[in-house]
Structure formats: structure tokens, C-alpha cells
Amino acid sequence: MNREDLKIRLEDIPPEGLEISIEDDGGLVADVYPVLEAIVAELHLTRIGPNVRVRGGLKTTLSVDCDRCLEPFPHKIEEKMFFILMPPPSGEGEEVRLRREDLDVSFFDGEVIDLGLIIREQILLSLPMRNICRESCRGLCPICGANLNQTKCECQREIRHSPFAVLKKLKISS
């Protein structure tokens, strides 16, 4: 899908709202993750004065690397979306305290909504902090780097003594 096709002008959203179906082969996040299953998004945009309410959902499957064993594995994403797009605030440099409802607010330039950026942001935000292929993943040997899920290495792990071990011998009298 062409990036320009994902840009919607505010004036093109009718009063009853605009239904948009998007299918992207992965170009939106291809610079970060390989896409195994096309990105599919169903969105409904509704104008509320100068603001736009976005509701919908997206689905895709990405290939991510496990943080323990570094092997790629498929990560399925199914996310619901709901937020309000607002033109940027007029006050520059003002300090503003955010409220809970402000977390569902994002900004756009006031004229054009770039759905490609919104979908990309939602996909990246839906990824976990740590990608683990399975709970039982044993990771890599810290000495030889062997994948412990596939092989048993024969590395001798030396037991290091903590420099604080001498504190166990310390006797404190009351």
C-alpha cells in the first residue's frame, strides 16, 4: 500500500464518520521487524469539532528475536484501538499535568491524519518489553554462546566468590 493512501484529510471525513480498511504487506514496520502475516486494520474515524475519534483494531504477525536464545519466532498481535486525535496545543513550552483520560489522546497537524504512523505506533507499543519464545527457553551459555535449547554445552562454570563473603564472618556484639 502506498504511504500517501494512508493519509486522510480532516475535511474528507463526513459527519457520519469514515470506515477504513487497510491491508499492508509489512512496509509500515519492515525497517524494524519482518512481517509474517499482513497488517490488517479496520478503523472508524469520526470528527468531533477539530478533533477526530479513532476506533478499531489491527492484526498482524511479526517475526521477533527471543531475548534469551536470539532465535526468531512468530509474535501474533491483535490490538483494539481507541483514542482521540487533536490538533497540537497552541501554547508552546507550557508545562501541563496529564490526567488519566489524556493517555488516550494523540496529536496530528490539524489538517491531515497519517494512518500509517498511527498503525506503526500501535504495533510497536503492543510489543512486550522482553520477547521470550517460550517460558522454558534456556537461553545461551554465557561462556561459549551455545543455544541451550538445542545442545548441552560442556563449559565449566567457575563459582566466583563475592568480595562481600567476608562480611558473613563479621560478628556484631550488642
Side-chain angles (χ1 to χ4, degrees):
M1 177 167 263
N2 184 350
R3 288 287 296 200
E4 291 303 313
D5 295 339
L6 297 175
K7 294 186 179 182
I8 306 294
R9 297 186 57 75
L10 184 64
E11 61 199 35
D12 293 339
I13 301 173
E16 66 275 5
L18 182 63
E19 292 283 338
I20 299 174
S21 295
I22 297 170
E23 187 166 338
D24 181 75
D25 61 357
L28 294 173
V29 292
D31 61 324
V32 185
Y33 295 103
V35 176
L36 302 177
E37 188 178 305
I39 299 167
V40 176
E42 301 288 332
L43 303 174
H44 182 80
L45 281 66
T46 308
R47 282 180 65 171
I48 306 169
N51 304 332
V52 177
R53 181 178 64 206
V54 179
R55 289 181 182 222
L58 65 90
K59 296 191 301 188
T60 188
T61 302
L62 304 179
S63 176
V64 297
D65 294 335
C66 177
D67 290 336
R68 290 183 187 164
C69 68
L70 304 181
E71 292 293 323
F73 70 98
H75 179 76
K76 191 167 196 67
I77 295 174
E78 287 190 39
E79 286 293 313
K80 298 277 186 217
M81 295 190 299
F82 175 79
F83 52 92
I84 304 293
L85 293 173
M86 299 174 68
S90 58
E92 300 262 340
E94 291 181 29
E95 189 171 312
V96 178
R97 177 174 287 238
L98 292 177
R99 299 177 311 249
R100 183 156 190 71
E101 58 269 13
D102 293 335
L103 298 177
D104 294 333
V105 173
S106 192
F107 297 100
F108 74 111
D109 69 5
E111 295 179 20
V112 177
I113 300 165
D114 189 344
L115 296 176
L117 288 176
I118 291 171
I119 293 169
R120 176 185 169 90
E121 177 181 79
Q122 294 301 308
I123 289 171
L124 296 176
L125 287 174
S126 71
L127 291 170
M129 299 263 305
R130 295 194 56 198
N131 295 307
I132 307 297
C133 61
R134 60 185 180 273
E135 199 58 43
S136 63
C137 179
R138 297 179 62 212
L140 302 176
C141 171
I143 298 169
C144 70
N147 185 339
L148 299 175
N149 297 316
Q150 298 171 351
T151 183
K152 180 172 170 61
C153 73
E154 302 298 325
C155 295
Q156 296 293 324
R157 290 182 173 74
E158 68 179 61
I159 300 173
R160 294 186 181 168
H161 296 289
S162 167
F164 298 105
V166 296
L167 294 176
K168 289 183 181 178
K169 299 175 186 173
L170 186 66
K171 297 195 185 217
I172 300 175
S173 60
S174 52

